[in-house]
Amino acid sequence: MASFSRHDVKRTLQAVRWPLRLTYVGMLAEALVQSLWPLLTVCLFVLAALMLGVQDMIAVEVVWAIAVVAGLSMIGALGYAFMKFRLPTRAQALTRLDASLPGRPLQALIDTQTIGAADAASTAVWRAHQARMARRAADAEPVSADLRVSSRDPYALRYLAVLVFGIALLFGSIWRVGSVTDMSPGGTGLASGPVWEGWAESPRYTGRPTIYLNDIPEGALRVPVGSLITLRLYGEVGALTLSETVSGRTEVPPASDPAQDFTVVQDGTVEINGPGGRSWQVEVIPDLPPQVAVLEDPTASAMGEMTLPFEASDDYGVEAGEARFTLDLASVDRRHGLTIDPENRPELVVPLPTPIAGNRQAFEENLIEDFSEHAWANLPVLVRLSALDGAEQQFETKPRAITLPGRRFFDPVAAAVIEQRRDLLWSRANNHRISQILRATSYLPEDLFRSQTDAMRLRKVIRQLETFAKYGLSDEMQEDLSQEMWDLAIILEEGDLADAAERMRRAQERLNEAIKNGASDEEIAELMRELRRATEDYLQQLSRQAQRQQQENEENQSGNNENAMQMTQDDLQRMMDRIQELMEQGRMAEAQQALQELQEMMENMRVTQGQQGQGGQSPGEQAMEGLSETLREQQGLSDQAFRDLQEQFNPNAQAGENQGNEGRSGGQGRGQSHEGQSGQGQESDDDTAQNDPQSGEGGEQGQGADRGDLAQRQQALRDELRRQQGSLPGAGTPEGDAARDALDRAGRAMDGAEQALREDDLAEAIDNQGQAMEALREGMRALGEMMAEQQRNQQPGQGNQPSDRRAENRDPLGREQGNSGADGDTGPLALNDDAYGRARELLDEIRRRSGEVARPEEERDYLKRLLDRF
């Protein structure tokens, strides 16, 4: 240490020269910022105003006043800068750098020893101290500059200036800065001559940009009709004048008015006379009125929902449209209750659906509405479609004669009630006649009604009609009474949904009646789906009854099984598929005969319990069916949440469209599966169809289901899954553990979906529901692998009993095979448990893909057709 010399001190100071220089630069920047920020703020404000063209939108006097204020502000800012700016010195930079180091080592290196310089020991101590300070100085780093001026600018005017200047860079023009002193194309200033500036702004709905007229040379100028031309004349008053023939104005301001605004309505010329003037031959681009047309007559579903296809177009896009329905009194069959003059009713007006996003210049859509409860349902009406564009131009089609679609009733009593309801809404003067007809119709109630409640409701309606006939019928009473009659007709038509056998018989009769009356394909398809649901419900109840009887008298039943006629749900499914195929081919006579055969078979049918002999379903099969039902329930909830999400963006278009999709997009999954159900699936499909907003028959109620109802159903489905997890077989096996893990993930996803539904976050709920369905499918696959492994590990000799061999040799109807060699249940085309699972997976995947709006419309239509068929 004693060898540390002055040369070492210089070397150390040389080592810190760059940190010292950078510290100096930071101090210089700090001084500039803290002194020049007012001047920079004023300059940015002024430049932003000029670039945005503020000087062109206000009077010249105001511009000069602002210029004076800006000039004074700049002078004050410059004075502030001179007062505050101090050029930093090297010594100040060295002091700041030294202060950032412990012990101020730089100052210690610069100092000299004043006491004890002649003492060798004292000198050695001083040199050791300098060596230690030199090591500390070697770690010197530049000191950051303090650029904060918040204490001097408490209102953050500097940030506001930067923001305004950034907006000017994006939306303004640097060339407008020169318009204060030089706004003419030739570069002459205000002092040397007059100048002008102008814009042609197209109507907003056209989507065309604003034209800067100073950049447009003389000649032709094409602008849309309704464009706003704005001209500003600067300089001596009268040096520049304006003449135009495009606005058609009757009151024209002076030609020398410095501010001219007018709208282009016709072809003509616009001319600026004077130094630097210019003229244009303006050609107007016309705005054509919108067009709308009905493509074909409306169609109706089995539940009365109308679908009216139409097309609309406009050169700039259709803004809105509506359909107006008026009664075609001249075409009404004036008989019975329609002989008297009808009451005046306002025309029926509904908005036309338009695309939510995309191009509205030309599109095709379907108007989907349900007018079944309207007074004009199933009566001749005139429909007129109208369309409106952005220019408030309206086009209306010629009246088109159609029959307003409504629900058709096949039950005779229900049809009679609906007919009298129509007469009541036609004119309240019919109430006495209606009460007489209904009293005669219900003369023998025990032969007409399935329950005394329905008969009592009809008697109540009759008493009300008779009372109103004496004391008068108000508008409110008329509406209440018509609603009561409508509800009664629905109950009579749909029957007692708690009685599965009666409902199945009613469904068969309604389908048979529809075939006889030549109903539409949509009505027959809907009635066919109802028959499937009723048949499945009846088979479930019959299966449970057979199990109870089997437990009570196992020996007698095993003896009867050898000769009894047996039928599974798959056999019934094939028969109903055959009936539907015949109807689609137009072979109605054969379809009616096949339906009659199905009715006879159902009356004498005994349901088989599969190939388990007398043991019924295995725990694995029961768990598989329960999970399948849970998956269908989850699919139905997801479909309803997706429809609600669509309705948030376009309630008019999506509401009808979603109703048309109910019953085929899953609902609760009922009507799509053809195998037995257990667990929660033991409930009647009729109750589900009546109470479930997503089932085919309860779809109208489901459109009003709120998020709370969906969240409660999601919670109930989560509770059911938890119950199924408790009885899941295969504990301890790899496949069983994998199934349990998958169901745990499904449960967590259901919890997330429930929480999202309660928070009205439909997008998050749909995402969680999709994760739950995927986890359920994984659990079912793992459960199927476990069942297959158990079958492979069965002990030899199983399935070799005579009863098993007889079961394997039976045909789909349970009959023994003959000598023809026809394949039975064990043929290569027979369906097994794995095939059932695969079929369910395929159907679920088709449903999922059909609900993805990102897929092309053609692909989604194809998937929906697959769901309708299978």
Side-chain angles (χ1 to χ4, degrees), residues 60-357:
V60 176
E61 294 78 4
V62 178
V63 173
W64 283 110
I66 295 176
V68 171
V69 173
L72 293 176
S73 300
M74 286 188 178
I75 293 174
L78 282 173
Y80 179 85
F82 281 116
M83 291 174 58
K84 293 295 182 180
F85 180 75
R86 296 291 185 272
L87 186 67
T89 62
R90 185 176 181 276
Q92 292 174 337
L94 183 63
T95 301
R96 175 172 291 190
L97 180 62
D98 193 21
S100 65
L101 299 173
R104 294 185 176 269
L106 297 179
Q107 186 64 40
L109 293 174
I110 296 174
D111 289 345
T112 57
Q113 183 180 5
T114 57
I115 300 176
D119 185 2
S122 177
T123 302
V125 171
W126 175 252
R127 294 302 182 191
H129 173 66
Q130 285 189 320
R132 186 167 58 252
M133 293 296 104
R135 288 194 297 272
R136 292 184 182 180
D139 298 332
E141 294 183 356
V143 181
S144 301
D146 184 9
L147 303 179
R148 294 173 297 178
V149 293
S150 55
S151 59
R152 298 177 177 85
D153 183 18
Y155 299 104
L157 295 178
R158 62 194 187 283
Y159 294 138
L160 181 60
V162 173
L163 175 62
V164 176
F165 184 72
I167 295 175
L169 288 176
L170 292 175
F171 303 103
S173 174
I174 192 64
W175 304 111
R176 290 183 177 178
V177 176
S179 64
V180 176
T181 58
D182 186 9
M183 294 185 293
S184 67
T188 59
L190 288 174
S192 60
V195 293
W196 61 271
E197 194 171 21
W199 300 267
E201 182 180 359
S202 301
R204 187 179 301 274
Y205 66 85
T206 63
R208 298 169 67 94
T210 299
I211 301 174
Y212 187 53
L213 295 179
N214 294 68
D215 296 337
I216 305 301
E218 291 188 349
L221 176 63
R222 299 183 76 248
V223 294
V225 62
S227 297
L228 177 64
I229 293 183
T230 302
L231 290 171
R232 297 291 181 264
L233 309 179
Y234 306 102
E236 184 181 355
V237 177
L240 294 175
T241 59
L242 170 69
S243 61
E244 55 87 12
T245 60
V246 297
S247 65
R249 294 180 294 181
T250 56
E251 298 181 1
V252 181
S256 59
D257 194 332
Q260 297 277 356
D261 299 308
F262 53 89
T263 302
V264 178
V265 297
Q266 61 188 14
D267 296 342
T269 60
V270 175
E271 185 174 0
I272 301 175
N273 303 306
R278 202 173 302 180
S279 64
W280 298 275
Q281 288 74 42
V282 178
E283 179 183 353
V284 172
I285 303 175
D287 186 355
L288 301 177
Q291 299 293 321
V292 63
V294 178
L295 296 179
E296 58 186 37
D297 287 337
T299 59
S301 65
M303 297 296 105
E305 188 179 69
M306 182 199 73
T307 300
L308 180 65
F310 70 93
E311 62 178 0
S313 62
D314 185 69
D315 45 2
Y316 293 112
V318 177
E319 291 292 328
E322 61 184 14
R324 296 178 175 269
F325 299 86
T326 56
L327 181 65
D328 187 5
L329 191 59
S331 302
V332 176
D333 187 6
R334 304 294 294 276
R335 295 188 299 169
H336 308 301
L338 306 181
T339 55
I340 62 178
D341 293 335
E343 298 177 356
N344 292 328
R345 286 187 176 272
E347 60 183 359
L348 186 59
V349 181
V350 294
L352 293 178
T354 55
I356 299 177

Side-chain angles (χ1 to χ4, degrees), residues 534-594:
T535 303
E536 289 178 1
D537 185 35
Y538 175 69
L539 287 176
Q540 290 175 19
Q541 295 190 9
L542 191 61
S543 176
R544 290 195 294 269
Q545 181 182 5
Q547 291 179 2
R548 289 192 298 267
Q549 293 177 353
Q550 181 180 9
Q551 294 174 358
E552 295 174 358
N553 193 359
E554 181 176 356
E555 295 181 358
N556 294 336
Q557 187 173 13
S558 63
N560 295 334
N561 280 341
E562 296 183 6
N563 299 319
M565 179 178 177
Q566 298 180 347
M567 181 179 292
T568 65
Q569 278 192 322
D570 295 327
D571 303 330
L572 291 175
Q573 174 61 29
R574 283 190 287 268
M575 293 185 67
M576 286 188 285
D577 289 343
R578 177 59 177 168
I579 294 173
Q580 186 169 1
E581 182 180 358
L582 291 173
M583 289 187 296
E584 291 175 353
Q585 295 175 358
R587 298 155 65 180
M588 294 302 178
E590 299 180 34
Q592 192 171 359
Q593 179 64 28

Side-chain angles (χ1 to χ4, degrees), residues 620-621 623-632 675 721 724 728 735 738-740 742-743 772-788 833-834 836-841 844:
E621 292 174 339
M624 182 69 76
E625 289 183 358
L627 292 177
S628 300
E629 179 65 17
T630 302
L631 180 59
R632 284 191 291 271
E675 55 185 347
L721 179 62
Q724 293 173 351
L728 194 69
E735 296 83 0
R740 283 173 168 78
L743 296 185
M773 288 187 288
E774 182 62 28
L776 283 173
R777 295 189 186 98
E778 292 180 7
M780 293 172 63
R781 282 194 292 269
L783 187 59
E785 294 175 358
M786 181 198 70
M787 295 169 59
D833 293 338
D834 292 336
Y836 289 143
R838 181 58 178 165
R840 284 193 296 269
E841 293 175 5
D844 292 337

